[in-house]
Amino acid sequence: QKEVEQDPGPLSVPEGAIVSLNCTYSNSAFQYFMWYRQYSRKGPELLMYTYSSGNKEDGRFTAQVDKSSKYISLFIRDSQPSDSATYLCAMSPQGGSEKLVFGKGTKLTVNP
Amino acid sequence: DVKVTQSSRYLVKRTGEKVFLECVQDMDHENMFWYRQDPGLGLRLIYFSYDVKMKEKGDIPEGYSVSREKKERFSLILESASTNQTSMYLCASSRWGGPQETQYFGPGTRLLVL
């Protein structure tokens, strides 16, 4: 079993849809969870950062962590064409500045 | 704003050539990382460094070496490039400190080895 599993998609939705992106993991030592967004031909940029279990909201984005199920999610409300990108989950036992384990990324297209 | 720059956006090299990829960050970060990104495989860590002249192997160090002579600069070296090293190479940096610190990525270098 891979340490981090992420459905690569691709995922195509109409503008305004609610998008759900997910990752599962196997290492119970992971405590810090991140979502990065990567536009085509660019480097990843941090979108959301959560510690342990719970929810975190930032505008149209909500990150959820369920450590008991080893499952993390990113929800995008009222999706926009500008949200079209690849979304990468990442996680670490010790924090975001340390060695991260990444999912393979999910490619999202939001159609106008 | 944190800025991580990489010396080239696109690079074409021949098999057997020695290749240098340069990364510079301007925020006095202690930690620097080199990843490669391939379709279907995601980001994989090649090497990282927590301080000048220090280096640690990541998950796929074979065929690569690194150099960190100055705090702001981290170089990835392909001693003898091979076609299976054709990839997108991403550099990242982060501050050493609390768990809330995160990694900042450069724009990437697309390397094609012929």
Side-chain angles (χ1 to χ4, degrees):
Chain A
Q1 183 184 7
K2 291 197 184 300
E3 248 186 325
V4 178
E5 301 266 16
Q6 182 177 9
D7 186 339
L11 189 59
S12 182
V13 301
E15 184 175 353
I18 296 174
V19 176
S20 172
L21 304 168
N22 311 293
C23 287
T24 59
Y25 62 96
S26 58
N27 188 344
S28 56
F30 290 146
Q31 295 192 81
Y32 298 89
F33 304 92
M34 287 134 272
W35 286 95
Y36 281 83
R37 178 175 62 194
Q38 186 176 21
Y39 290 115
S40 181
R41 303 187 188 284
K42 304 273 189 180
E45 56 179 345
L46 183 70
L47 193 59
M48 298 286 283
Y49 188 148
T50 52
Y51 168 67
S52 195
S53 284
N55 291 4
K56 184 174 182 179
E57 191 172 316
D58 185 1
R60 296 184 295 109
F61 298 90
T62 300
Q64 283 186 355
V65 175
D66 181 350
K67 288 190 71 182
S68 62
S69 302
K70 296 190 178 69
Y71 188 86
I72 70 170
S73 301
L74 177 71
F75 296 96
I76 307 174
R77 290 185 300 281
D78 187 25
S79 56
Q80 302 294 309
S82 58
D83 295 327
S84 298
T86 296
Y87 290 81
L88 302 156
C89 64
M91 45 200 82
S92 163
Q94 295 172 309
S97 65
E98 305 286 329
K99 182 179 169 182
L100 297 177
V101 180
F102 283 86
K104 292 181 182 180
T106 300
K107 185 170 183 179
L108 170 68
T109 300
V110 181
N111 301 299
Chain B
D1 255 5
V2 176
K3 194 151 188 186
V4 180
T5 57
Q6 296 183 230
S7 51
S8 306
R9 293 301 304 274
Y10 301 94
L11 213 50
V12 180
K13 295 292 181 181
R14 297 212 172 270
T15 302
E17 279 192 77
K18 191 168 186 175
V19 182
F20 293 86
L21 303 181
E22 299 278 328
C23 176
V24 177
Q25 49 92 6
D26 66 357
M27 285 302 290
D28 201 36
H29 284 172
E30 291 80 10
N31 305 333
M32 296 189 75
F33 306 82
W34 274 108
Y35 296 88
R36 63 177 282 178
Q37 185 175 32
D38 300 287
L41 296 176
L43 267 80
R44 293 179 291 167
L45 182 63
I46 305 171
Y47 267 98
F48 59 105
S49 169
Y50 288 139
D51 202 350
V52 176
K53 296 193 186 296
M54 291 183 68
K55 60 185 179 185
E56 299 278 346
K57 291 181 180 179
D59 300 316
I60 51 163
E62 296 79 19
Y64 303 94
S65 62
V66 290
S67 172
R68 192 159 180 209
E69 297 295 320
K70 293 185 177 181
K71 190 176 185 180
E72 68 271 17
R73 189 179 297 268
F74 193 34
S75 302
L76 180 70
I77 304 153
L78 287 65
E79 296 290 342
S80 177
S82 64
T83 54
N84 63 12
Q85 292 178 310
T86 290
S87 187
M88 168 77 136
Y89 289 88
L90 289 160
C91 175
S93 73
S94 67
R95 189 178 308 282
W96 178 263
Q100 296 301 314
E101 299 294 339
T102 59
Q103 293 184 25
Y104 297 86
F105 283 83
T109 295
R110 286 191 178 273
L111 172 66
L112 172 62
V113 182
L114 299 173

